[in-house]
Amino acid sequence: MKNCFASMCWKGLRAGFVIAGMTLAWAGVAHAQSAAKTAADAAKKICAGKTITIVWEAGLQSLDPLNFSGPLWEKETGCKIKVVEVPTAEMFTKIMQDYRAGSGAYDALNVVPSWMPDLVQAGALEQLDNYVDKYGYRAELQKIAPTYRDNQMKVNGKIYGFPDDGDVFIMYYRKDIFARDDLKKAFQAKYNYPLAPPKTWKQFDEVGSFLTDNLKKEGTYGASFFREAPYAMLMFQERFRVEGGKFFDANMKATVNSPIGVRVFTEMRNENRFMPPGVEKFGFVENLATFLKGESAMTISWPPYGRFAAGYLGSEKALDWVPKSTIAGKVGYALPPGGHPQLALGFALSVATHSKNKEAAYLFIQWLNSEEISTKRVQLPYTLRDPFRDSHYTDPVYLGLWPDAKDYLAALKAASQTGLLDLSLIQTDTYEEALRQGVGRLWAGEDPKTILDDVAKQWDATTAKIGVDKQKAVYNAWAAKSGAYPK
Amino acid sequence: MRSGQRGTFRERNFKYLLVGPAIFVLLLIGVFPLVYLLMVSFQGITMTETSTDFIGFANYRQLFSDARLWQALLHTVIITAIALPIELVLGLAMAQLFLDRLPGRAIFIALLVLPVVVSPIVSGATWALLFNHRFGPINQIIGWFMGRETILLWTINPNLVYPAIITAEIWQWTPFMFLLLLAALGSVDRSQIEAAAIDGAGWWRTFFRIVLPAIAPVMTVAVLIRGLDLFRLFDIVWALTQGGPGTMTETISVFTYIKGFRQFETSYTAAVALLVIVLLSTLVMYLLRRVELAR
Amino acid sequence: MTPLAGRHRVRLCLRLVAAVALTLIFMFPIYWLYMISFKTASEIYAFPPKWYPSSFNFDTYRVLFRDGDAATVGNSLIVAFCSTALAMFLGFICAYSLARFSTGGKHLANWIISQRMIPPIAVVFPIFLLYVWFGLVDTYVGVILLYTAFNLPYVIWMMRSYILDVPRALEESALVDGYTRWQVLWKVLLPMCRAGLAATTIFTFVFAWNDFIFALVLTRTEVATYTVQITHYFGGQSNFWAKISAMSVLGTLPIFVVTAFMQRYFVRGISLGAVKG
């Protein structure tokens, strides 16, 4: 051996290592690159001429499979794709009804991750581990950004869906307003710290009210949110946890009505005072319109705001409904106060258990979700699918889409590492519904503590009906996930 | 006589032949759901439980102690009790207005029917936009009268949610009453009215003594149909308030929708549905009998 | 001019004013809705609200036709038309039987009425199950059958009342004159119920046209009606107001035509009331 480290023996060994290394690397790269190709090739064999039916959110989201991925898949594999568009609010209903009736009309599905425990419990989603191993998709699955990968893929340790949408709440703010010298000086004088996008909710209150006081005459408010109940409910989930709240205690008793919860509710209502009047009724589009017209200096929302604000629509007719952005180039991106944004909603791709084309359906979703194809999909101007893979955040094409795209992607990447998962248990919607109604009552002027006490009572009643132990197991499984509570 | 016997036979068959097809269709679609509801209401099917074992009256017992259900019924009754009379009176007034000749009457009538034609979901969404505090014209118009900018949150303010829902509902369905009553008024025997006028009876007297009884059958049916539909009010409430704030405007169908379509409490919802059917049937039968007696 | 004629003039004027005012008030929401189909997004979310669009562009309509969304109006037409025709025919003859012969007595009449008390939300799922078993989901036949069944009680109930209003004398004299019962039904009674028939037809059509909950559950892609299509435009992260509004325009125009057509019978039926007795 001693001799080997000299001269040719070592050279040979070294060469051997290099070749071995390169082969491994090539195999690894080739393996990773070909998840899309693997799927397409396999599908060519199974599905010629067949039609795969996939349930997709109606409207803008469906343009992806209708105009891009569906035709592309058909070209590469000969399998037809039929898109069943379903209004967002009806997706869960249609999937469950179809499952219960055993009609087998749907092959592949889009599901919101917080529905997964319910759907898996009911038996509506196909377990995907065997297919993943058969087609070697584990490696590429690993490369999905941690928060989505670790929180939105598995139930009870088994894979039931591929996270396919980087939904997360990030903060958008007007760089130009925050850079104004007159405002900076006045703020520093008043509060003793520099004017900047707020890192805590206390700072948000101060910054927001300050900006409104000073800019109202110019027609701009410090901030606006989509305060309509379904959206505000998700924001509450985030803030409550960021401030240290826990949804349930060790005995599965609801603790949303803890002092933290009451404080969050109270602060939320107080903040409305420096927001545009009637903000309680702002939905996604009203809030977007307000921000794009320059009437608010800060807002929190899903990633599409960033693309719309930058004017990245091109001449996309599908986006005609988006008000013209007057603030392109003036938008900054940051994590919301507290630094742990809500992974609000999102989508995962799944296979229906009653499907008659399970394997073909699986191959389609693997192909959709793969590195190669998903990178293209999240860059479609009309898409609502947001970056969700590590590679998306550093993709050179995406970075060049508009001047501030790198900051945008950086913010999304940061969010993807610290995001908080939506609460998902058995009958999640029942719990969320109680919260939604609570928000409605909050805006109507009722006392926060009373409202939250009622919400806690409803939660406990629901838990009792489902079975405390049963729900506790599911809750503990959820709470064990990295994105359940801020670390 | 031969022809007479044949006549009676044919007549007997004739009337059954007339009702036969209709009943067939009704049975085809109507029987299974009711049987299903009945069966399922005695089972324990929920989102997570699919066993079809019978669990007795558990669902019905839960029914009676479910405060939210009875509140939903109360909300529904309130909306019906307010909207129905207004629609009736307004519809009657409009029918009377258009009864006699009027230039362009046909156009007016065709236009006035349009509100009924707009899909309830769309009309709900439209009214949501109309009532919108910032982008809707209603607050703007009120602002003109009040002299200053008014921000009324029609779909959040507890004092305004019911007026908002009722306004949208009246707008949409008064034309229905209007058209039905117009048809009825049009078939009232004019000679009787003219005779009364000659006798010196005033307009109101004629109306209450002659016209009203003449249109009573159609009016009763119209009120019953509209009342039943109001009971099933869903789209407008859903579009405006989703039953909120809290559960303040939750009607029975919003309640059923949430329980059945969102939370998949299939068995419980079946029990609720049967309860509603029984309640409505009892009420309608009672009212019909009163009307029959009055005639 | 006699005082009576003068008073009549004034009354006519007042009635006209009232008619115009009423029509304006009732039309305003529809005007607002239709207008949106021509507005740009910024105009829809303008503050203070704009009462008219700055220009009339038909882009949205073009998109709806190009994407095939407008085809759903065609589906609605087929389904509503067929089910209305069927329901009117079956319902009218059934109503005649009930009104003139009291067929089945109280029980039948009450049973038919009770069918209308069934809340659709409650029965839509069992019907869905039934349809899955018979392969009727997302088919024209299935939806038409359903709408017919759901409109029959209304038609029967309404027509029975209108028929009861018509005195038997005309029919009886026609029978004596040698008409068959069938002919009496169509040639003598039908013209007398013109107004009621027209009104009932209009609303039966409208009920089928506007249904949402059944269409939502029982259709997927083939037979989607325009009401289901419109709900596609309400998203959690988007609101295609222009499309919602344009589809509504497309969705109400056919009814406008139907109503305008039925108009003649309606108005004629009202004026015919004077010929009674």
Side-chain angles (χ1 to χ4, degrees), chain B residues 127-166:
Chain B
W127 278 96
L129 212 62
L130 289 172
F131 278 125
N132 191 297
H133 50 280
R134 269 172 90 75
F135 310 119
I138 292 185
N139 275 347
Q140 192 183 19
I141 297 175
I142 296 181
W144 292 339
F145 281 107
M146 304 279 280
R148 54 185 164 81
E149 191 178 294
T150 27
I151 306 282
L152 290 175
L153 295 179
W154 290 91
T155 53
I156 294 188
N157 186 327
N159 295 327
L160 295 176
V161 278
Y162 272 95
I165 292 176
I166 293 176

Side-chain angles (χ1 to χ4, degrees), chain C residues 43-70:
Chain C
E43 286 178 333
I44 297 175
Y45 291 104
F47 179 75
K50 297 190 94 187
W51 284 54
Y52 50 84
S54 55
S55 66
F56 279 92
N57 77 327
F58 287 87
D59 275 345
T60 318
Y61 292 97
R62 246 174 264 146
V63 167
L64 286 182
F65 277 99
R66 188 196 64 206
D67 288 345
D69 291 0

Side-chain angles (χ1 to χ4, degrees), chain A residues 223-348:
Chain A
S224 75
F225 288 152
F226 35 38
R227 286 297 208 203
E228 222 178 11
Y231 307 101
M233 182 269 299
L234 290 169
M235 289 187 76
F236 171 80
Q237 282 198 24
E238 173 191 322
R239 265 175 98 153
F240 178 65
R241 286 182 280 180
V242 158
E243 305 278 354
K246 294 262 183 288
F247 290 124
F248 297 95
D249 65 10
N251 295 321
M252 208 53 203
K253 214 167 160 321
T255 47
V256 269
N257 55 342
S258 66
I260 297 179
V262 178
R263 181 158 57 85
V264 170
F265 249 29
T266 317
E267 282 172 11
M268 279 169 79
R269 186 161 63 198
N270 290 345
E271 285 157 13
N272 289 351
R273 276 195 247 114
F274 60 79
M275 299 200 199
V279 71
E280 294 90 347
K281 275 310 277 184
F282 272 19
F284 179 90
V285 187
E286 287 95 341
N287 191 33
L288 177 66
T290 307
F291 187 63
L292 291 187
K293 285 194 289 181
E295 291 168 13
S296 60
M298 298 187 281
T299 191
I300 291 179
S301 183
W302 281 289
Y305 270 41
R307 304 195 288 273
F308 296 158
Y312 176 58
L313 326 157
S315 55
E316 218 19 86
K317 279 297 167 93
L319 294 170
D320 264 349
W321 55 273
V322 179
K324 283 274 166 297
S325 169
T326 58
I327 54 173
K330 302 186 192 167
V331 180
Y333 320 95
L335 292 181
H340 287 276
Q342 182 90 357
L343 301 183
L345 297 179
F347 273 115

Side-chain angles (χ1 to χ4, degrees), chain A residues 419-469:
Chain A
L420 291 177
L421 190 57
D422 292 356
L423 178 65
S424 47
L425 314 159
I426 300 178
Q427 297 249 17
T428 310
D429 188 68
T430 316
Y431 294 88
E432 285 187 350
E433 192 213 358
L435 259 184
R436 278 196 295 267
Q437 287 170 355
V439 170
R441 288 167 65 186
L442 180 67
W443 303 149
E446 287 186 50
D447 168 54
K449 176 113 179 64
T450 319
I451 300 175
L452 284 172
D453 283 339
D454 280 341
V455 172
K457 214 165 36 165
Q458 287 176 46
W459 278 28
D460 288 333
T462 312
T463 310
K465 215 159 148 254
I466 294 171
V468 175
D469 291 323

